[in-house]
Amino acid sequence: MSGWGMALTDSEAGAATAAQITVQLSFDEAFTVHHRAVYRYACALVRDPQLAEDIVQEVFMRLYQNLHTAQREGLLRAWLLRVAANVARNMLRGKSRSAARDEEFAAELVRVEEIASVDEELVRQSEIREARRVLVRIKEPMRSCLLLKHEGLSYREIAAALEIKEANVGSLIARGRREFLRLYGKIGGERP
């Protein structure tokens, strides 16, 4: 590091200010001298240390690309802080736009889910109506055996409830299921 670079490093302690020095610095020297000031300024602007680090990185990338232009008038620190302010403003603007897009997407997703749940409920209600129409067309005692079996009753309990032989319950349920499937297919096929 040159003598001027050492003097600028000491500027943090108050020995000399960067604005007073008009010598051209290498990128490494400029980084060493101004990194802390740019970081503190970025932190003050965005109040987020990680985002401030991103800002500092972008500022020094721009300095690397424009080193000679930035030092032209000897106001390197002012140039760096102005670039930091612009980068911070752009990052905050992008962050708020991103947050707005995320909120809009979440709201749309909720609307889609609500519509899907309404659609699912309508389909379910339609299927229930069709099943009831089919059950009405199944003859007794097959219909009652099917309904009681669906409720979880055992063959013995179904036989007792319907006052039929327990040996007949199984065949009545099987015949009722076949009839239900046959009629349900016909009614389902009649849909517009």
Side-chain angles (χ1 to χ4, degrees):
M1 181 182 284
S2 68
W4 286 106
M6 293 300 286
L8 288 178
T9 305
D10 293 337
S11 72
E12 292 295 319
T17 63
Q20 295 169 335
I21 308 300
T22 57
V23 79
Q24 295 287 316
L25 300 174
S26 71
F27 175 78
D28 292 337
E29 291 170 333
F31 182 84
T32 303
V33 171
H34 298 293
H35 178 269
R36 184 178 293 161
V38 174
Y39 176 74
R40 282 195 311 251
Y41 185 61
C43 274
L45 291 173
V46 297
R47 302 188 192 289
D48 179 358
Q50 285 86 18
L51 188 56
E53 281 292 336
D54 292 343
I55 292 168
V56 169
Q57 182 178 5
E58 179 66 25
V59 167
F60 282 100
M61 283 177 39
R62 290 182 186 185
L63 175 64
Y64 185 77
Q65 295 167 348
N66 303 298
L67 184 62
H68 297 295
T69 308
Q71 295 187 69
R72 193 175 24 201
E73 296 175 20
L75 301 173
L76 180 58
R77 181 176 287 217
W79 185 90
L80 290 169
L81 296 179
R82 186 177 65 241
V83 170
N86 291 337
V87 169
R89 185 176 27 253
N90 289 341
M91 284 190 172
L92 289 174
R93 187 179 308 129
K95 213 173 167 185
S96 68
R97 287 178 181 165
S98 175
R101 281 191 305 271
D102 289 347
E103 287 178 23
E104 185 178 321
F105 176 75
E108 181 63 25
L109 187 60
V110 167
R111 282 192 294 271
V112 167
E113 287 175 353
E114 287 173 352
I115 290 170
S117 66
V118 168
D119 288 345
E120 289 171 2
E121 181 61 23
L122 289 173
V123 167
R124 191 176 79 76
Q125 291 296 329
S126 174
E127 289 174 351
I128 289 171
R129 279 192 304 274
E130 287 181 27
R132 286 182 178 155
R133 284 195 310 221
V134 168
L135 283 172
V136 169
R137 296 173 78 185
I138 296 176
K139 296 179 182 173
E140 281 298 337
M142 289 185 291
R143 175 179 43 204
S144 295
C145 285
L146 277 176
L147 292 173
L148 292 174
K149 183 62 179 167
H150 182 71
E151 290 294 320
L153 275 65
S154 68
Y155 284 11
R156 178 174 289 170
E157 292 168 327
I158 294 171
L162 298 177
E163 298 178 348
I164 57 175
K165 293 180 183 178
E166 186 178 344
N168 294 341
V169 172
S171 64
L172 288 170
I173 291 173
R175 287 183 10 220
R177 283 181 181 157
R178 280 193 304 271
E179 186 68 11
F180 180 85
L181 291 174
R182 185 182 68 77
L183 292 172
Y184 190 78
K186 283 185 178 180
I187 289 178
E190 294 174 358
R191 281 191 238 172

